[in-house]
Amino acid sequence: MHCLVVLLSAVLCLTLSAGPLRAAEAPSQLAGIAMGANAEDMRDRLDLARVAPLWDKPWLVRANLKPTKGFIAGYVLLGGCAAQNRVERIRLQYKDGSKALFDKLTRTLTDRYGVPLPLPAPKAAKYKGFRWVFGANKSKGMDILLEHFEETNDENPSGNVIRMTDNRAMAQEKICYDAMIKGAPEPQPAFPLFDVDDKWLLPQ
């Protein structure tokens, strides 16, 4: 009995001395593209000749990925205000669109970063997705999304897509943009010169 108490005490001491388990550190790059990198330093990877701000989020700028092994398409979102040209999101579509690859990638990411959060599937869609979140603040930390689409549409082609986002940096871009336009008059469309009606708003 005495030996058992000594053994348990030793195990407890070793556990306490080891300290708490560390949470998995957030990754810093995907397919050789580093989060936070300056797009000007990545002209060999990004098509900077055709960058454009997002129509619904003008504080962010999209640059498409140049042909890259292992992927058939992709883009990055860059800061457009607080940290211009800074890589803040990477979204890539794998060349292999099989469910088998999706399952393999899910297992690998789970082994590295822990159990993910399942993403809700859109209505009537054959979809599966998971999200890994890093940091205490789930809305402003880094996250990874891995998604599998079995049916294609304009927004999400069929296959496997991975996305890595610095949510804190993107939030700072929105704050910067809002401060920049605060007090400025709302832009008025120059076309057409006449008042529009329902006929103008619908296909003719």
Side-chain angles (χ1 to χ4, degrees), residues 28-203:
S28 60
Q29 63 176 338
L30 177 60
I33 302 173
M35 295 294 290
N38 190 315
E40 291 293 337
D41 299 329
M42 306 194 70
R43 288 186 171 272
D44 59 329
R45 303 295 314 282
L46 303 175
D47 183 3
L48 299 183
R50 293 185 290 180
V51 298
L54 302 185
W55 68 272
D56 57 340
K57 297 177 181 178
W59 50 90
L60 297 171
V61 177
R62 170 171 167 158
N64 289 334
L65 184 74
K66 289 184 177 180
T68 298
K69 291 180 179 179
F71 302 92
I72 60 173
Y75 65 83
V76 301
L77 293 185
L78 310 171
C81 186
Q84 294 188 11
N85 290 330
R86 181 186 187 275
V87 176
E88 298 179 355
R89 172 175 287 173
I90 306 168
R91 189 175 191 270
L92 306 176
Q93 182 182 1
Y94 289 97
K95 184 176 182 180
D96 182 350
S98 69
K99 182 63 163 50
L101 177 65
F102 174 81
D103 292 338
K104 179 181 178 180
L105 295 174
T106 299
R107 290 193 298 269
T108 301
L109 291 174
T110 300
D111 289 342
R112 288 184 186 178
Y113 307 123
V115 178
L117 302 170
L119 297 174
K123 291 183 178 180
K126 294 182 178 179
Y127 166 88
K128 196 166 188 179
F130 295 103
R131 180 180 184 230
W132 289 263
V133 182
F134 304 89
N137 192 325
K138 297 185 185 300
S139 63
K140 293 187 178 180
M142 184 84 70
D143 70 5
I144 294 175
L145 267 62
L146 181 66
E147 301 172 292
H148 177 75
F149 302 88
E150 291 191 18
E151 295 180 354
T152 184
N153 59 48
D154 291 339
E155 295 295 328
N156 298 300
S158 62
N160 299 314
V161 173
I162 189 167
R163 193 191 83 180
M164 190 160 71
T165 303
D166 184 343
N167 294 292
R168 181 182 299 277
M170 293 182 68
Q172 289 299 315
E173 295 297 333
K174 177 68 164 59
I175 292 172
C176 174
Y177 180 83
D178 288 344
M180 181 180 67
I181 65 172
K182 185 177 181 179
E186 184 177 350
Q188 297 299 317
F191 185 85
L193 298 179
F194 52 83
D195 292 334
V196 301
D197 54 19
D198 291 347
K199 182 178 179 181
W200 173 263
L201 302 177
L202 296 172

